[in-house]
Structures are given as structure tokens and as C-alpha cells.
Amino acid sequence: MKLVLRYPLVTGTVAALLAVILLLVSGQEGIARAAASVYALAVAAYLAVGMVRRLLAGQWGIDILAVTAIVSTVLVGEYIASMIIVLMMAGGTALEDYAAGRAKKELTSLLERVPQTAHRERAGANDGNATSTDGHHEDVAATDVAVGDILLVRPGEVVPLDGILLSESGTFDESSLTGESLPVERAAGDGLMSGSLNGEAAIRMRVTARMEDSQYSRIVALVKEAAESKAPMVRLADRYAVPFTALAYVLGAAGWIISGSPARFAEVLVVATPCPLLIAAPVAFLGGMSRAARGGIIVKYAGVLELLGRIRTAAFDKTGTLTYGRPALVEVRATGSLSQDEVLRLAASAEQYSSHVLAASVMDAARSRVLAFEGASEATEYATHGVRARLAGQDVVVGKPNFVAESVDGVEEIELASGQLAIYVGVDGEFAGCLVMSDPIRDEARRTLGELQRLGVTETVMLTGDALATAEHIAEAAGLTDVRAECLPPDKVEAVRALPGRPVMMVGDGVNDAPVLAVADVGIAMGARGSTAAGESADVVIILDDLSKVASAVRIGQRTVKVALQSIWIGIALSVALMIAAAAGYVPAVAGALSQEVVDLATILNALRALGPGRRTPAPERTDRADGPASRGSGPARLRRSAERS
């Protein structure tokens, strides 16, 4: 019944065709002819109204062929063929819906999993980490849950909102979000991603974001936007409409003139119905977007896939994109009377009052050694330079060597290995030592750059705010063709605009990357757990924190465009071959109407190939992992490219 209501024209046409067949069987050919002709002409009139509206709006369509084919077959007495054409036109809509649904499977599966309810723990119901029993929880709408609420997630349920795991451990399936097929294990204190599927044990969690701010809701919003978008290549149907229509009329007229029979004109138009052109590109692009979503790549607009397929230049941010963005302590070098642990402890105590990325790494290193932080009576951060703080009567200064040297005697820059940086520490006017840090390059960075080169990306550029010396090591290790260092956000925007090889793809992850992601032809935001601003500005969001997905996105874009073009040309070639055969008198009207459906099926089946992975290019040889520095420190230079500052 649902299908009957959804496709009334299909239902009505099938009923009318059965009635016509019954009339023919009972010997009422005249009534059958009249009924079929009236029904077919009524449908043609309905289609003509929509066609005229589109023409008045300046949109030339190829549905004029279908209208002409129906009218011409009625006029020459091929009323059965006219009924079949109507059925195929109506059935084409259902066929397109099926193909689109198949192509959007991965996208719609994300939408269907949106959590609706949550089991909220009643106040005072559970003071420990054990899971509360029934009666201690209330089922509430997920939209009513507030930050800080404690939730119970039962086995096999979807985690409704972002939060922190309170239970000792848990296993979660994040495959629908990240594309990773293996379950991941989380321990108490780890973050939980909304939309992930809980394993075999119930867990408790504390909510850290409301429904509208949770990761899964953001992904669902992206998916909805993606599913409703249309690719520029979808307009190929209109681009080919005029020549395809003209060719059909010319071949039909030629057949009529040569044979002397107007039926030949109708037979040509029967096989010239435009379903392949109308269906092929949309199905292929939906398939490509679904394929990308399966791998943890959310493409916001179908048109982005076409641009991805033509990318010639790729620009990358450094920290958090080419590197892991988590600088780690390599060693503590104490130069005075203080021990290594005391130098680290005082540095971490001062870094409490800094927002710099390196400050968090210093504090993490101190915590790993179980060092107690000292509270400051006064502290001042000097952006990008360092921190001054008074800790238990001691004056501590932490930061770049020149900054520390302003208030500390005896500061000497130390020799560092390639890819390392140093944070200098002064205590009570004396140089106490330095912390050697390193931000390692991603294991998959060089492999990804090699894959992009094989896919036709001829230029790869690093755009970073770091000093030239610290950026060059990463650029060399990753295999980049160019590096632009000491760039402020406006510098990055101008650099992307000036890059000659178009289209340009920009990959980044931070708030300061949002402007350049927006101005690039294709902006890709790394890691959905990263900056909301970057994700909103980007055209593509990679959920899994994996740089190799950038190459996957380009490969999927190229394959989608290839499959779409193949499908369109397959449809055109088969239709033209049938038109020529019909003009020569080898394809009767009824057989032509049926054969056109075969063309539709062949076109759609080929377009659905966009769902598959396609042929993979061989992976390049992997290189050893190299370390790379972050921005507030110093390090040696090995390459010389360019440094920019506005």
C-alpha cells in the first residue's frame, strides 16, 4: 500500500495497461485503442505542463522527447507502445528512487541512528562507578539532557551525547562514524563520541555537551546537507539536452523520409527517452558520497566530489595535520643547581597560566612524573613568547631563549637534533635549564603525499605559523614540494589565493585554519573532534584522525566523476545505437519501448559502481618516522624556502 501511494502514476498505468489487455482479449480493440490513447495523451499533457514551466524558467530539459514519443505513437496507432512508454517514464522515477536509496545507504544509516532517548541517573542514585540498576534511572529525551548529567548506556545501545566514561572500561563500535571496523576500548576518564555503539557491558558516562553541540549531531547535520545537494555534473543532462534532442528528431525525420512511414519517426523517438541522462550522474554522485561516508569522510556537497576529482595543488597546515599536534618531552637538561625534576616542576607550574599548545605538553610531562604544581602569586603570559610567574617566592620565566634572556643571565642556546625544539627556563635570574620537546610527524604523512602525487596532485605546500627552521624538517620528511613559514591566518589566505595550480585543496584542523579552509577550492578539516569553526568552514570533514583519508577523498572524487561520465556516455551510446536501428526499421515501437528500459538498467547499474572502492594504486614505500617541532622554541634549519609575515 505504501508503494501504491508513493507512486500513483505507476499504479495507475499498470491498472490501465491491464484493462487495455483485457479489452483486447475480449475482442474490444476499438475501446482498448481509445482508452489507451486517452490515458497516454493525458499523461503527456501532464508532463508537458511541467516541461513548459521549466522552459519559461530558462531550463531546457530533454523530457520533450518523452512527450513527443507518447504523442507520436498514439498518432500512428502504436497505442500499446505509448502505454509502455508511460509505464517506463513512471517506473523510471521509482527506479531512480531505488538507485538513489541504494547509493545513499551509508548516509541514511547515520541519520537513522540518531539517539532519541537517554537513561539519566537520578540524583544520588549511584555514588560509585558501578552501573545503577533499574529504578535509579529515568528515560528522558536526549534533547533534555544537560551538561554534567550522568547517563547509563546499556549493552548494544548508541551513546546519545558526547561525554566522559565513568565506568572502569568499555568497548565501543565507532565504525559508522570513523570507518574503523574494529571496536575500540576506552578506560575511565576517556572521551566518548556520540553515535558510537556500546559493547556487551553497561557503562556510566558524564555528559560534556548538549544534544545540539554533540559530535554526532554535527555529523548528522553535515550528512543531511550532503544528501540534499546536487553536483554541477548533474547538469550534464541539460548540457546534452539540445544536441541529443536534435539528433533524435533528425534521425526520426530521416527514417520517415526514407521509409515513407510516419511510424518510423515514432519508433526512433521511443528509444530516445532521456532516462539515462537524467539518472546517471545523480546516482553516481550519491554513491560516491556514501562511499566516502563509509570511510569516515563526510562530503558536505556533491559538487565537492567533482572538485576533488580535479585537485592539482594540496596545501597543509603543520601542527595537528602533518604532525600529531601533541608535542612530547624528550629530555630535561638542567644547567644549574636544580635537579631535572625541579626544573620541570617549576616550568609546569608557570605553564599553568599559559594557553599555548606547548604549555599543555609540559604539564602532561610533569604529571607523568607525579610532580606537584606550585600556585603562583602572580603570573603573566606573553603571547607566543613565554610566561613569567612568581612561585613560592621564586621568580620563574619560561619560553623562547631571547625572551628568557631578557631577565635571566647565562642563557645559551643548546644544540638540538633535527626536528626538536627547546623551551628555556630561568629561576631567580639564573639559567636553570631547558626542556627538549618534539612534535612527531604522522606515520602516514609521507605515504599520503606519495599517494596524492600518483593521483595527479602536482604541488604540495605547507602553510604554517612556525619558524622556517622548525617547518623545514617536517616538509622534508613528508616529501612536500614547498613550505611557507611564519604565516599568520591572513598570510595563509593570500598564499592559497595565489597558488597557480587550480583547484587547490587546503587541509587543516585548528580555529586559525577556518579562514583559509573557507577560501580554498576544497577545504578539508582533519578530525571531527577538532575545532568546530574549522569543521563549519570546510567542505569535507574527516572524522577519523587519519591523514591518509585526504588521499582517499581525492581518489573517491576521481572515481565518482569517472563513473558518472561513463554512465552518461553508456546511456547516450546505447540510445543512439537504438535510434539508428529504429530509423533503419529494425526496432518496432513496442520492442523499442522495452529495450529502453534495458538501457536505463545498464546505466543505473554502472552508476552504482561509485559505491565500490575501485582499483587501488600501489602503496608507496614507507619511510622512517621523523620528529617535528611545534612553534614556541628553536631548532636547526635544513631547507630554505620562504617565510612570510604580514
Side-chain angles (χ1 to χ4, degrees):
M1 181 58 70
K2 186 182 293 186
L3 291 175
V4 171
L5 295 175
R6 185 174 181 181
Y7 303 109
L9 187 57
V10 175
T11 305
T13 305
V14 170
L17 188 57
L18 289 175
V20 169
I21 293 173
L22 289 175
L23 288 171
L24 288 174
V25 171
S26 62
Q28 304 293 325
E29 183 177 353
I31 298 176
R33 179 193 298 271
S37 299
V38 169
Y39 182 84
L41 290 174
V43 173
Y46 172 77
L47 294 175
V49 171
M51 178 189 69
V52 170
R53 286 176 178 172
R54 284 188 288 276
L55 287 174
L56 292 176
Q59 298 177 354
W60 175 273
I62 49 181
D63 45 4
I64 188 174
L65 286 173
V67 174
T68 311
I70 294 172
V71 173
S72 62
T73 49
V74 169
L75 293 178
V76 299
E78 293 284 359
Y79 57 94
I80 295 295
S82 66
M83 289 293 290
I84 294 176
I85 294 172
V86 171
L87 180 60
M88 296 312 174
M89 288 295 296
T93 302
L95 191 62
E96 182 178 2
D97 285 350
Y98 166 78
R102 174 91 166 77
K104 290 196 296 183
K105 182 179 178 182
E106 301 297 334
L107 296 176
T108 54
S109 66
L110 286 172
L111 301 179
E112 291 167 356
R113 286 167 51 112
V114 177
Q116 302 296 327
T117 61
H119 313 303
R120 184 167 59 190
E121 189 173 290
R122 299 179 190 276
N126 196 320
D127 297 327
N129 283 343
T131 301
S132 297
T133 58
D134 291 342
H136 295 292
H137 298 88
E138 55 182 349
D139 287 346
V140 297
T143 52
D144 294 336
V145 177
V147 174
D149 285 351
I150 307 298
L151 302 182
L152 169 71
V153 183
R154 297 191 175 104
E157 288 185 342
V158 174
V159 176
L161 300 100
D162 291 350
I164 295 174
L165 180 63
L166 297 180
S167 300
E168 185 176 343
S169 63
T171 303
F172 301 89
D173 178 2
E174 298 180 349
S175 59
S176 64
L177 303 173
T178 64
E180 288 294 304
S181 58
L182 296 177
V184 296
E185 295 184 358
R186 303 291 183 208
D190 288 347
L192 298 181
M193 194 176 185
S194 56
S196 55
L197 191 66
N198 188 25
E200 299 179 352
I203 58 97
R204 293 175 70 234
M205 60 173 286
R206 176 179 288 109
V207 176
T208 57
R210 291 182 58 82
M211 184 68 176
E212 59 269 23
D213 300 321
S214 285
Q215 187 58 62
Y216 195 63
S217 296
R218 290 167 54 196
I219 293 172
V220 166
L222 293 177
V223 168
K224 285 182 178 178
E225 197 172 15
E228 295 170 358
S229 67
K230 292 184 178 180
M233 188 170 287
V234 173
R235 295 195 295 269
L236 279 175
D238 293 334
R239 188 186 306 169
Y240 296 142
V242 175
F244 188 82
T245 303
L247 177 62
Y249 286 145
V250 168
L251 288 175
W256 184 352
I257 293 171
I258 293 173
S259 67
S261 171
R264 196 66 59 83
F265 180 79
E267 289 167 356
V268 171
L269 294 190
V270 164
V271 297
T273 50
C275 289
L277 288 178
L278 296 174
I279 296 174
V283 169
F285 276 89
L286 285 172
M289 294 169 71
S290 190
R291 169 69 186 171
R294 190 189 315 163
I297 305 167
I298 304 298
V299 180
K300 290 187 182 180
Y301 315 105
V304 173
L305 280 176
E306 185 177 10
L307 283 172
L308 280 170
R310 299 189 290 110
I311 290 295
R312 290 296 173 265
T313 302
F316 297 85
D317 178 44
K318 183 182 78 67
T319 305
T321 302
L322 290 170
T323 68
Y324 286 99
R326 299 185 296 273
L329 179 67
V330 176
E331 64 173 315
V332 180
R333 298 185 187 179
T335 59
S337 59
L338 299 179
S339 67
Q340 292 182 359
D341 281 355
E342 185 65 8
V343 171
L344 176 59
R345 187 184 75 86
L346 291 174
S349 299
E351 293 281 33
Q352 291 180 98
Y353 306 97
S354 171
S355 59
H356 195 276
V357 62
L358 290 177
S361 298
V362 172
M363 289 187 288
D364 287 343
R367 291 190 189 101
S368 68
R369 299 191 184 188
V370 198
L371 302 177
F373 290 12
E374 196 77 55
S377 57
E378 58 180 283
T380 305
E381 179 182 17
Y382 299 83
T384 74
H385 293 289
V387 180
R388 286 195 177 99
R390 185 158 183 81
L391 307 168
Q394 292 179 298
D395 291 319
V396 178
V397 58
V398 181
K400 291 182 177 179
N402 292 339
F403 173 73
V404 175
E406 292 176 1
S407 53
V408 171
D409 296 329
V411 176
E412 296 182 2
E413 293 196 37
I414 64 172
E415 185 176 346
L416 296 168
S418 180
Q420 292 182 340
L421 64 89
I423 299 174
Y424 291 77
V425 183
V427 179
D428 288 335
E430 295 184 1
F431 182 40
C434 60
L435 312 177
V436 180
M437 312 285 289
S438 175
D439 182 14
I441 188 173
R442 290 178 182 270
D443 291 337
E444 71 273 16
R446 191 171 189 89
R447 185 172 73 253
T448 301
L449 270 293
E451 176 72 5
L452 287 173
Q453 185 177 14
R454 265 184 295 280
L455 291 170
V457 180
T458 56
E459 185 177 0
T460 52
V461 185
M462 177 198 293
L463 302 176
T464 178
D466 288 358
L468 184 62
T470 61
E472 287 169 338
H473 170 71
I474 299 298
E476 184 180 41
L480 292 158
T481 60
D482 193 7
V483 57
R484 314 284 178 89
E486 300 181 22
C487 295
L488 296 174
D491 299 324
K492 293 183 179 183
V493 170
E494 292 305 316
V496 166
R497 284 177 174 165
L499 289 171
R502 317 300 296 196
V504 174
M505 170 178 70
M506 176 67 198
V507 187
D509 75 324
V511 173
N512 64 338
D513 294 326
V516 70
L517 290 176
V519 80
D521 296 312
V522 177
I524 298 183
M526 282 285 298
R529 293 187 180 92
S531 162
T532 301
E536 290 176 351
S537 300
D539 303 299
V540 180
V541 176
I542 295 176
I543 300 172
L544 191 64
D545 194 23
D546 182 357
L547 188 64
S548 68
K549 297 294 184 181
V550 173
S552 297
V554 173
R555 185 168 54 249
I556 290 171
Q558 291 183 354
R559 175 168 169 76
T560 300
V561 172
K562 180 180 179 181
V563 169
L565 286 172
Q566 283 180 346
S567 301
I568 289 172
W569 285 111
I570 286 173
I572 290 176
L574 291 176
S575 294
V576 169
L578 286 172
M579 284 191 289
I580 293 174
Y586 295 112
V587 184
V590 173
L594 293 173
S595 65
Q596 186 58 42
E597 189 64 14
V598 175
V599 175
D600 294 351
L601 285 172
T603 303
I604 288 175
L605 289 175
N606 189 73
L608 285 173
R609 289 173 50 235
L611 283 168
R615 183 180 300 176
R616 295 292 300 270
T617 56
E621 182 179 349
R622 295 193 57 172
T623 59
D624 293 336
R625 178 166 152 179
D627 292 339
S631 59
R632 203 178 72 193
S634 62
R638 297 181 61 187
L639 301 174
R640 287 292 165 192
R641 297 292 170 85
S642 63
E644 299 179 3
R645 184 177 295 278
S646 62

